[in-house]
């Protein structure tokens, strides 16, 4: 048996309750990881609230990333072995001592990083790579704006975009958070409580790419902030999924609006993202040019406290659960 944290019913952080379950067994192409740390992410809170169901066949436990030791491998696995230290994108089940995941979604712990740091990598790095570089097609020299620059996604996006030669801009909600964004490589950090990001970007000629997780009223403002032929990639909607938009400028200025969520994507798509990360981003991490930004640590049984802290939006970077 293993210790886990379950969602007892849809609701607030208080519905996360410690429990026990049988240790999972690996299926074809899967491995079992004895987790040392698990990452805490916004999709976990959405699932807890009953707004983001797990994919068919996935664990109903929250938790989409973690790091630890591979303790069992299923049939058809050749690239990962028992005893390997890995970080992994999980289909679910991270709030537990053991979790299963496709072996192809495991990546080696980068040299120089601890398991705690490595647990901060998969969800945000998979998300940023696929949305900023694959879907958003960011190129060196382009102006890139990321909202929520001090979040796990934001701190990752700033560093990766800067490492690949883009001019980076970010929004955040305090001077402290703005300072962090600049330290990580943002050319300018905009305190959205005091300054209008549309004006800042338009004065520069507009953003070639915007990564947004706010949604709602930000959508038409993002369109205004784009350069001609600019791209907007939507990955969440903290301010709601519905807004009225005038399509005229999308057509006349040749703007592109797209978006994605990571969890429902196919195993093949996630495998390709993992391969790209290992090839293009892991060397940057091992060279110290990109690093996970860790905010705080809670023990597994304190998952409810971790969610409360995450939903306060006071954190900077990633929150992890200590499992061991």
């Amino acid at each position: 048996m293993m210790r886990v944290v379950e969602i007892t019913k849809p609701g607030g952080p208080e519905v996360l309750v410690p429990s026990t379950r049988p240790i999972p067994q690996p299926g074809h192409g899967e491995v079992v990881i004895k987790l040392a740390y698990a990452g805490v992410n916004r999709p976990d809170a959405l699932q807890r609230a009953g707004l983001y169901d797990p994919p068919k066949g996935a664990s109903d436990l929250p938790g989409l990333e973690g790091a630890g030791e591979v303790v069992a491998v299923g049939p058809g696995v050749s690239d990962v072995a028992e005893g390997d230290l890995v970080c992994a994108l999980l289909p679910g089940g991270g709030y537990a001592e053991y979790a299963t995941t496709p072996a192809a979604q495991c990546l080696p712990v980068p040299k120089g990083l601890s398991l705690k740091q490595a647990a901060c990598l998969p969800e945000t790095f998979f998300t940023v790579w696929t949305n900023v570089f694959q879907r958003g097609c960011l190129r060196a020299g382009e102006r890139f704006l990321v909202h929520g620059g001090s979040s796990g996604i934001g701190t990752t996006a700033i560093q990766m975009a800067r490492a690949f030669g883009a001019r980076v801009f970010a929004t955040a909600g305090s001077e402290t958070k703005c300072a962090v964004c600049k330290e990580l490589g943002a050319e300018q950090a905009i305190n959205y409580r005091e300054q209008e990001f549309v004006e800042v970007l338009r004065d520069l000629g507009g953003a070639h790419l915007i990564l947004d997780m706010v949604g709602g009223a930000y959508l038409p403002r993002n369109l205004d902030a784009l350069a001609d032929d600019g791209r907007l990639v939507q990955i969440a909607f903290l301010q709601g999924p519905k807004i009225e938009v005038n399509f005229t400028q999308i057509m006349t200025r040749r703007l592109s609006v797209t978006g994605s969520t990571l969890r429902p994507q196919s195993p093949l798509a996630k495998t390709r993202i993992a391969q790209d990360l290992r090839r293009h981003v892991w060397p940057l991490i091992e060279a110290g040019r990109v690093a996970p930004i860790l905010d705080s640590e809670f023990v597994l049984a304190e998952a409810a406290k971790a969610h409360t802290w995450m939903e306060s939006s006071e954190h900077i970077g990633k929150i992890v659960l200590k499992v061991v």
Side-chain angles (χ1 to χ4, degrees):
M1 300 293 287
M2 64 175 180
R3 295 178 295 118
V4 305
V5 170
E6 295 179 329
I7 301 171
T8 55
K9 61 181 179 180
E14 71 281 354
V15 306
L16 295 171
V17 176
S19 184
T20 58
R21 288 192 181 185
I23 295 173
Q25 300 300 309
H28 189 276
E30 292 183 334
V31 299
V32 176
I33 303 170
K34 187 181 191 316
L35 294 172
Y37 292 89
V40 178
N41 295 283
R42 292 280 180 179
D44 302 342
L46 290 174
Q47 180 179 336
R48 186 207 71 219
L51 302 174
Y52 194 25
D53 292 335
K56 184 178 181 181
S59 170
D60 65 317
L61 298 175
L64 300 178
E65 63 182 344
E69 180 184 353
V70 175
V71 295
V73 298
V77 175
S78 58
D79 295 335
V80 182
E82 291 184 20
D84 286 353
L85 296 180
V86 300
C87 55
L89 186 72
L90 307 174
Y95 290 17
E97 289 185 279
Y98 297 84
T100 58
T101 195
Q105 292 173 204
C106 294
L107 287 162
V109 173
K111 296 175 183 177
L113 261 61
S114 66
L115 287 173
K116 181 194 296 188
Q117 292 171 306
C120 301
L121 297 176
E123 175 70 12
T124 51
F125 277 68
F126 272 69
T127 298
V128 170
W129 182 261
T130 186
N131 286 289
V132 174
F133 295 95
Q134 292 181 332
R135 187 171 294 273
C137 301
L138 183 65
R139 295 181 289 271
E142 290 191 318
R143 292 180 293 273
F144 169 59
L145 171 65
V146 55
H147 291 297
S150 63
S151 66
I153 293 291
T155 55
T156 301
I158 290 170
Q159 294 180 81
M160 286 175 63
R162 180 64 180 270
F164 283 97
R167 296 179 61 188
V168 184
F169 303 84
T171 63
S174 71
E175 290 308 311
T176 298
K177 291 182 176 181
C178 285
V180 169
C181 294
K182 294 176 72 173
E183 289 172 6
L184 294 175
E187 182 175 323
Q188 187 170 349
I190 304 157
N191 186 336
Y192 62 77
R193 302 182 193 278
E194 300 177 356
Q195 200 172 11
E196 176 52 64
F197 72 84
V198 176
E199 296 176 1
V200 173
L201 269 299
R202 292 306 300 172
D203 286 345
L204 294 166
H208 297 101
L209 176 66
I210 296 177
L211 181 68
D212 182 47
M213 62 283 290
V214 182
Y218 264 49
L219 180 54
R221 294 164 67 192
N222 283 330
L223 298 179
D224 289 342
L226 284 172
D228 290 354
D229 298 295
R231 294 95 65 197
L232 169 63
V233 181
Q234 198 75 40
I235 59 171
F237 39 81
L238 297 177
Q239 287 190 4
K242 296 181 180 181
I243 191 71
E244 183 175 309
V245 174
N246 186 331
F247 274 77
T248 301
Q249 68 167 327
I250 293 177
M251 298 164 62
T252 59
R253 297 176 53 219
R254 304 168 303 283
L255 306 180
S256 299
V257 179
T258 184
S260 76
T261 54
L262 179 62
R263 195 176 189 184
Q265 293 190 44
S266 70
L268 177 59
K270 294 174 185 177
T271 297
R272 288 173 173 166
I273 298 170
Q275 291 170 342
D276 277 358
L277 288 173
R278 188 166 187 173
R279 184 181 306 114
H280 300 294
V281 179
W282 255 228
L284 297 175
I285 298 174
E286 294 182 345
R289 296 179 61 193
V290 177
I293 305 302
L294 179 64
D295 176 87
S296 51
E297 171 189 320
F298 296 81
V299 298
L300 179 62
E302 295 178 332
K305 291 183 179 179
H307 275 227
T308 299
W309 178 238
M310 178 177 62
E311 292 183 320
S312 75
S313 295
E314 294 298 320
H315 63 290
I316 295 176
K318 294 298 295 282
I319 301 168
V320 296
L321 298 176
K322 185 177 182 180
V323 180
V324 294

